[in-house]
């Protein structure tokens, strides 16, 4: 709900459990008032900013009193140059060299829907939108702020559009998407850092008087930092405390920063990273900054995560596969790497199909002369030496054994040893006259150029039309360096990063519109582009190249803070694991992969009979529990980094059933496993707890399980599946009474 009170110019946006309030103050500046718990229909315009103190200048309009300072006023969209020395959302240079912008309220409208953002991902679905236009006091430059209210999810989607009507070009030096000026300190900043094969590790650090900031200037959102952060009370836990989430619907360079100012107020900002960014905005043009999904929870991290999970499933992911059950797949990458032919693929698929698996994904190596990773990226033509008869013959054969077919592409890359590179050496990002950085022997195509996108589109479309495909894995295996486009003049090179992302989005949109039945999965060396921007184009993303079940516990734990289970690509792979050499039971690998999209990535034709039986059981179990796993409320019961076991729970929203998963990761002698207090059950109902091996643990009331808790079985009590180390338990709760 959106309310505007004319006297006082107060805007209130209300969701199920939260209120967002701001006002155009006496001088016309748009002040932030509140984002937090509901206000009972009232206003908090009494929260006047502190008086200007020494060395905080007053703007021209306050010259008589000199009591008001933008440096101390909580703002909705702070700008540089006008006396606010904190982190700005907007910094620019006018044609005359002036750099100060002073935005004042000009007008507003309330729309009954959510406008799409041209060329960018954005949330959709039932909501109201407040559009506030701010205008510079001195020049005809406008900023249009959008606030869309997703009531059910406690989410406000924010974005900003800069419109130049000054009669001359303007250079944008930094355009962030959202600012949250919280009027307190004592907050923590929770962010998700990592590296290749170890993405989204949770780190919690106090917000202090210097800036805490994370971001990426790698051209993608990256493995190293994720464009999702949480600011929270220092005391916030999974179940209590105030938390503010900021999730960026964007897949390129980003910044998320928080700091306390001299008055101990905390400013949090998020947007495109200003480093290396500049954009020439001609007169009459506008620049659209990407969207930030802001979410508030007064009930800790758990409720915050659940809001994002539901929001992203229902209002971000699109297309046929957004909510539909995805096929259980077998991917040949870790089974064969580059060493396969169509017969080997068929044998793996046949073994998989006999065990209930539904789709074969042919990973890297099916095209051009791609016998290793030194060549052929860009030549998206089937290598018929490897796949004799081509993809049509393979898909026809697979149909006979009721298997669907999926294919890997890495559309944004080119190898120097490729026909594409030989024909168009200037199509990659590189600076003439300088050396270029390589990673994995490849260069990055200049996706800002339409002719490059058209070429890749035509190649991909030809392959995808040649056979019956159900799935595409869209990979991206290096970060951008030497960012320079042959298609842009020298003074516009600061635009290349963002134009690259827009180009990728355009190509994705085109491919997915043309092939609506295909399920697209994102990937970037695993989870290097695991962000809400990408989820708009594909409903699932390969979570990490690390398929070690024990390391995955931490990776999937971190991912769960901001992203739903249905987004998390997760497979059972071989043991010893290819990334870590760790040996884990097959059962444990299944339990961990079921906290994701679930599939296999090993040679299923070469596993033992006992393992085959487990695969059959796991596939059936996953399909049977699919709705509970994906539509259930997700609860993190332990922190894997701090506990001898990792436990999580999915509970049906109506409390009728739940699934409890427990994996031991750090076992010691005489260990007392921690009591797990379950969540999301009906207090008065009685639940039976049954293991996936049929063992009945007992029956207890929801209240007993939630208040007193459940002591997990010991690792020794595991099951007869191979070694006992890293034991896992999957326990189903069924309501038997009440
Ligand atoms: C990336 C992906 C892997 C696999 C390889 C193929 O690393 O993350 O899953 O597809 O590329 O080269």
């Amino acid at each position: 709900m959106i309310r505007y009170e004319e006297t006082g110019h107060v805007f209130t946006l209300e969701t199920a459990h939260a209120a967002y309030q701001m006002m155009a103050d006496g001088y016309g500046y748009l002040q932030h008032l509140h984002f937090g718990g509901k206000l009972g229909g009232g206003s908090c315009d009494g929260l006047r900013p502190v008086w200007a103190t020494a060395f905080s200048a007053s703007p021209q309009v306050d010259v008589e009193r000199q009591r008001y300072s933008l440096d101390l006023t909580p703002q909705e969209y702070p700008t540089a140059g006008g006396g606010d020395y904190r982190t700005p959302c907007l910094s620019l240079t006018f044609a005359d060299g002036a750099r100060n912008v002073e935005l004042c309220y000009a007008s507003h409208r309330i729309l009954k829907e959510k406008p799409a953002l041209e060329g960018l991902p954005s949330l959709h679905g039932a909501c109201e939108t407040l559009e506030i236009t701010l205008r510079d006091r001195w020049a005809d430059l406008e900023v249009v702020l959008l606030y869309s209210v997703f009531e059910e999810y406690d989410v406000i989607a924010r974005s900003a559009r800069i419109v130049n009507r000054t009669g001359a070009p303007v250079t944008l030096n930094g355009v962030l998407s959202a600012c949250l000026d919280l009027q307190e300190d004592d907050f923590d900043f929770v962010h998700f850092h990592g590296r290749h094969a170890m993405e989204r590790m949770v780190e919690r650090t106090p917000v202090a008087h210097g800036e805490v900031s994370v971001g990426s200037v790698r051209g993608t959102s990256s493995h190293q930092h994720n464009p999702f952060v949480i600011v929270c009370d220092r005391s916030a836990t999974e179940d209590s405390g105030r938390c503010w989430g900021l999730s960026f619907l964007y897949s390129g360079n980003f910044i998320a920063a928080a700091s306390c100012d001299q008055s101990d107020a905390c400013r949090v900002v998020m947007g495109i990273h200003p480093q290396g960014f500049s954009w020439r905005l001609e007169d009459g043009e506008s620049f659209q900054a990407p969207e930030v999904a802001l979410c508030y929870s007064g009930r800790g991290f758990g409720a915050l995560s659940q809001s994002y999970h539901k929001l992203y499933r229902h209002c971000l992911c699109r297309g046929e596969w957004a909510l539909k059950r995805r096929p259980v797949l077998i991917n040949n990458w870790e089974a064969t790497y580059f060493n396969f032919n169509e017969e080997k693929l068929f044998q793996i698929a046949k073994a998989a199909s006999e065990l209930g698996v539904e789709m074969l994904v042919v990973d890297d190596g099916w095209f051009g002369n791609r016998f290793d990773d030194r060549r052929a990226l860009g030549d998206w033509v089937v290598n018929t030496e490897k796949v004799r008869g081509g993809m049509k013959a393979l898909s026809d054969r697979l149909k006979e054994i009721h298997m669907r077919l999926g294919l890997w592409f890495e559309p944004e890359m080119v190898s120097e040893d490729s026909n594409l590179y030989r024909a168009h050496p200037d199509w990659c990002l590189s600076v003439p006259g300088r050396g270029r950085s390589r990673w994995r022997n490849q260069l990055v195509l200049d996706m800002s150029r339409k002719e490059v996108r058209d070429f890749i589109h035509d190649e991909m479309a030809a392959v995808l039309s040649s056979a019956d495909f159900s799935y595409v894995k869209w990979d991206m295996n290096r970060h951008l360096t030497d960012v320079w486009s042959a298609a842009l003049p020298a003074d516009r090179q600061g635009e290349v990063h963002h134009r690259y992302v827009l180009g990728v989005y355009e190509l994705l949109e085109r491919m997915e519109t043309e092939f609506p039945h295909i399920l697209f999965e994102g990937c970037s060396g695993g989870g290097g582009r695991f962000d809400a921007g990408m989820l708009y184009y594909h409903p699932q993303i390969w979570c990490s190249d690390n398929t070690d079940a024990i390391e995955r516990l931490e990776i999937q734990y971190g991912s769960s803070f901001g992203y739903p289970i249905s987004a998390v690509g997760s497979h059972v792979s071989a043991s010893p694991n290819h990334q870590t050499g760790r040996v884990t039971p097959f059962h444990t690998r299944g339990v961990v992969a079921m906290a994701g999209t679930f599939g296999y990535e090993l040679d299923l034709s070469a596993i033992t009979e006992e393992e085959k039986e487990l695969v059959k059981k796991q596939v059936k179990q996953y399909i049977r529990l699919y709705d509970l796993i994906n539509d259930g409320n997700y609860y993190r019961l332990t922190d894997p980094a701090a506990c001898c076991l990792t436990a999580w729970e999915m509970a049906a929203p109506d409390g009728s059933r739940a699934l409890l998963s427990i994996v031991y990761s750090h076992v010691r002698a005489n260990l007392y496993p921690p009591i797990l207090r379950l969540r999301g059950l009906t207090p008065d109902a009685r639940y039976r707890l049954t293991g996936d091996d049929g063992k009945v643990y007992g029956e207890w009331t929801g209240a007993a399980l939630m208040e007193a808790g459940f002591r997990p079985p010991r690792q020794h009590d595991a099951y007869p599946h191979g070694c006992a180390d890293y034991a896992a338990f999957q326990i189903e709760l069924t309501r038997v009474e009440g």
Side-chain angles (χ1 to χ4, degrees):
M1 206 233 357
I2 299 177
R3 238 181 18 247
Y4 172 60
E5 286 154 44
E6 189 122 25
T7 39
H9 299 290
V10 175
F11 298 93
T12 308
L13 320 177
E14 269 191 10
T15 67
H17 306 97
Y20 191 111
Q21 203 167 70
M22 58 198 142
M23 74 171 175
D25 69 17
Y27 290 137
Y29 300 111
L30 190 61
Q31 266 189 41
H32 178 76
L33 293 177
H34 173 77
F35 185 30
K38 290 198 124 163
L39 298 169
S43 141
C44 37
D45 58 351
L47 264 182
R48 298 277 173 211
V50 291
W51 291 110
T53 49
F55 293 93
S56 284
S58 300
Q60 179 72 34
V61 285
D62 192 52
V63 74
E64 294 304 324
R65 297 189 319 146
Q66 298 192 25
R67 287 299 193 136
Y68 181 102
S69 176
L70 290 168
D71 203 23
L72 294 157
T73 305
Q75 311 210 22
E76 281 299 316
Y77 200 72
T79 55
D84 183 347
Y85 297 99
R86 297 166 295 176
T87 310
C89 276
L90 180 64
S91 50
L92 56 77
T93 312
F94 289 105
D96 63 0
R99 286 155 178 258
N100 45 333
V101 195
E102 209 180 316
L103 295 175
C104 296
Y105 169 84
S107 62
H108 77 270
R109 342 185 254 160
I110 295 173
L111 313 170
K112 290 286 165 213
E113 77 272 312
K114 168 77 175 61
L117 305 185
E118 211 196 322
L120 284 167
S122 61
L123 296 172
H124 53 79
C127 68
E128 281 187 312
T129 300
L130 170 64
E131 183 192 274
I132 301 182
T133 301
L134 307 176
R135 190 167 298 127
D136 181 40
R137 206 182 279 286
W138 314 103
D140 204 354
L141 180 113
E142 280 179 3
V143 174
V144 182
L145 300 179
L146 292 181
Y147 298 82
S148 298
V149 183
F150 289 84
E151 286 194 32
E152 190 185 335
Y153 309 99
D154 293 318
V155 165
I156 313 278
R158 282 195 60 175
S159 67
R161 189 169 72 248
I162 319 300
V163 187
N164 177 13
R165 296 212 178 80
T166 61
V170 159
T171 304
L172 304 175
N173 306 315
V175 185
L176 304 192
S177 296
C179 170
L180 203 51
D181 268 353
L182 301 169
Q183 290 306 288
E184 299 165 59
D185 56 0
D186 261 356
F187 293 124
D188 280 344
F189 184 78
V190 181
H191 63 101
F192 304 87
H193 70 101
R195 57 180 184 269
H196 172 241
M198 214 59 219
E199 299 89 341
R200 291 173 295 289
M201 300 292 105
V202 183
E203 193 166 271
R204 184 169 176 166
T205 177
V207 179
H209 287 89
E211 195 168 77
V212 196
S213 134
V214 296
S216 166
V217 289
R218 294 166 176 269
T220 71
S221 48
S222 88
H223 308 81
Q224 286 72 10
H225 290 289
N226 194 264
F228 170 61
V229 296
I230 303 169
V231 173
C232 62
D233 284 332
R234 294 242 161 103
S235 57
T237 67
E238 282 292 336
D239 303 303
S240 68
R242 297 175 303 166
C243 308
W244 294 263
L246 292 91
S247 180
F248 202 23
L249 277 68
Y250 188 64
S251 311
N253 292 349
F254 77 93
I255 187 165
S259 58
C260 291
D261 68 12
Q262 56 183 329
S263 72
D264 296 332
C266 170
R267 171 166 291 178
V268 192
V269 293
M270 180 173 256
I272 293 179
H273 205 302
Q275 183 181 315
F277 171 88
S278 72
W279 193 276
R280 186 181 156 97
L281 197 63
E282 299 292 346
D283 180 42
E285 283 183 352
S286 61
F287 178 87
Q288 177 64 57
E291 193 160 289
V292 171
L294 281 177
C295 181
Y296 172 75
S297 155
R299 295 164 291 141
F301 302 123
L304 188 84
S305 296
Q306 287 177 11
S307 291
Y308 277 114
H309 295 174
K310 288 180 199 140
L311 177 83
Y312 286 169
R313 273 171 69 64
H314 295 277
C315 305
L316 177 61
C317 296
R318 301 171 300 164
E320 256 176 49
W321 292 98
L323 297 171
K324 199 157 110 185
R325 182 176 77 73
R326 325 261 169 82
V328 176
L329 63 82
I330 169 78
N331 178 306
N332 75 306
W333 179 242
E334 288 196 17
T336 65
Y337 295 103
F338 292 105
N339 186 18
F340 63 85
N341 59 23
E342 87 292 339
E343 194 49 40
K344 178 70 192 162
L345 293 174
F346 185 75
Q347 288 317 321
I348 293 175
K350 188 157 173 294
S353 134
E354 284 162 7
L355 307 176
V357 174
E358 301 163 301
M359 177 163 76
L360 169 75
V361 173
V362 180
D363 210 281
D364 195 354
W366 56 266
F367 52 92
N369 63 344
R370 184 83 169 165
F371 292 95
D372 55 36
D373 68 9
R374 305 189 72 82
R375 60 204 90 246
L377 292 173
D379 296 345
W380 302 107
V381 177
V382 182
N383 179 328
T384 47
E385 261 175 61
K386 268 184 157 180
V387 186
R388 274 167 300 180
M391 289 295 167
K392 172 84 172 73
L394 181 62
S395 90
D396 286 348
R397 253 184 115 186
L398 289 177
K399 270 190 201 154
E400 284 168 22
I401 55 166
H402 310 291
M403 287 285 272
R404 296 164 177 257
L405 177 59
L407 203 55
W408 178 94
F409 286 92
E410 199 182 349
E412 300 154 59
M413 297 291 150
V414 65
S415 309
E416 281 153 286
D417 181 1
S418 69
N419 295 334
L420 174 58
Y421 184 80
R422 284 183 281 273
H424 299 285
D426 66 327
W427 277 13
C428 61
L429 295 176
S430 75
V431 190
R434 288 182 181 260
R436 306 143 163 188
S437 305
R438 311 286 194 290
W439 160 243
R440 218 184 182 209
N441 315 298
Q442 59 198 59
L443 297 169
V444 183
L445 283 173
D446 181 356
M447 299 304 281
S448 72
R449 292 171 69 172
K450 185 163 180 337
E451 64 272 38
V452 176
R453 299 196 298 271
D454 285 348
F455 179 88
I456 296 295
H457 163 271
D458 293 350
E459 278 197 323
M460 288 180 76
V463 178
L464 292 177
S465 312
S466 72
D468 196 357
F469 288 100
S470 298
Y471 165 107
V472 161
K473 178 171 169 187
W474 184 299
D475 209 341
M476 198 282 186
N477 277 324
R478 63 159 287 183
H479 291 148
L480 277 52
T481 54
D482 317 298
V483 178
W484 194 93
S485 170
L488 286 173
D491 63 349
R492 301 198 77 144
Q493 294 297 328
E495 298 176 20
V496 180
H497 267 297
H498 183 54
R499 288 188 185 277
Y500 178 95
V501 179
L502 295 178
V504 172
Y505 286 157
E506 193 249 11
L507 183 57
L508 277 162
E509 184 76 37
R510 212 159 141 197
M511 296 304 304
E512 292 171 14
T513 312
E514 276 169 46
F515 298 93
H517 305 307
I518 291 185
L519 164 63
F520 283 77
E521 173 160 354
C523 180
S524 176
R529 206 160 52 180
F530 199 102
D531 56 63
M534 276 297 153
L535 286 180
Y536 181 71
Y537 298 96
H538 7 258
Q540 63 188 57
I541 302 174
W542 183 226
C543 178
S544 178
D545 272 349
N546 190 340
T547 58
D548 176 320
I550 302 307
E551 302 248 274
R552 269 291 181 124
L553 293 171
E554 247 186 283
I555 298 170
Q556 294 181 182
Y557 168 83
S559 307
S560 78
F561 278 81
Y563 305 98
I565 294 290
S566 56
V568 173
S570 194
H571 300 163
V572 172
S573 65
S575 176
N577 178 267
H578 291 194
Q579 290 78 44
T580 61
R582 193 194 313 262
V583 175
T584 52
F586 204 97
H587 175 257
T588 298
R589 283 174 266 153
V591 171
V592 176
M594 282 192 216
T597 57
F598 197 66
Y600 292 86
E601 187 155 340
L602 73 171
D603 186 349
L604 287 178
S605 68
I607 60 173
T608 65
E609 286 308 310
E610 194 194 340
E611 287 172 337
K612 283 187 179 163
E613 287 311 308
L614 274 170
V615 174
K616 279 191 206 160
K617 220 173 126 184
Q618 287 171 346
V619 173
K620 273 203 201 125
Q621 172 90 331
Y622 184 70
I623 292 175
R624 187 175 65 79
L625 295 174
Y626 188 87
D627 293 342
L628 177 59
I629 290 174
N630 287 284
D631 292 324
N633 290 324
Y634 180 86
Y635 297 92
R636 293 173 290 268
L637 302 183
T638 62
D639 171 355
C643 189
C644 61
L645 57 80
T646 306
W648 64 96
E649 181 195 343
M650 287 99 167
D654 65 358
S656 58
R657 56 191 188 136
L659 183 69
L660 169 63
S661 302
I662 301 165
V663 179
Y664 276 94
S665 48
H666 308 289
V667 171
R668 305 197 126 164
N670 290 330
L671 182 82
Y672 303 103
I675 283 178
L676 302 173
R677 286 179 50 228
L678 305 193
R679 310 276 200 280
L681 306 175
T682 309
D684 298 337
R686 230 181 145 67
Y687 294 86
R688 176 176 303 146
L689 274 65
T690 316
D692 58 358
D693 54 358
K695 175 173 174 172
V696 177
Y697 289 89
E699 286 181 15
W700 294 278
T701 61
L705 291 164
M706 293 192 292
E707 298 299 332
F710 172 72
R711 174 87 70 186
R714 294 181 316 156
Q715 151 135 326
H716 307 58
D717 303 333
Y719 43 80
H721 310 309
C723 68
D725 207 4
Y726 304 118
F729 299 85
Q730 199 176 49
I731 301 174
E732 220 177 312
L733 283 81
T734 34
R735 191 159 60 191
V736 286
E737 226 181 273

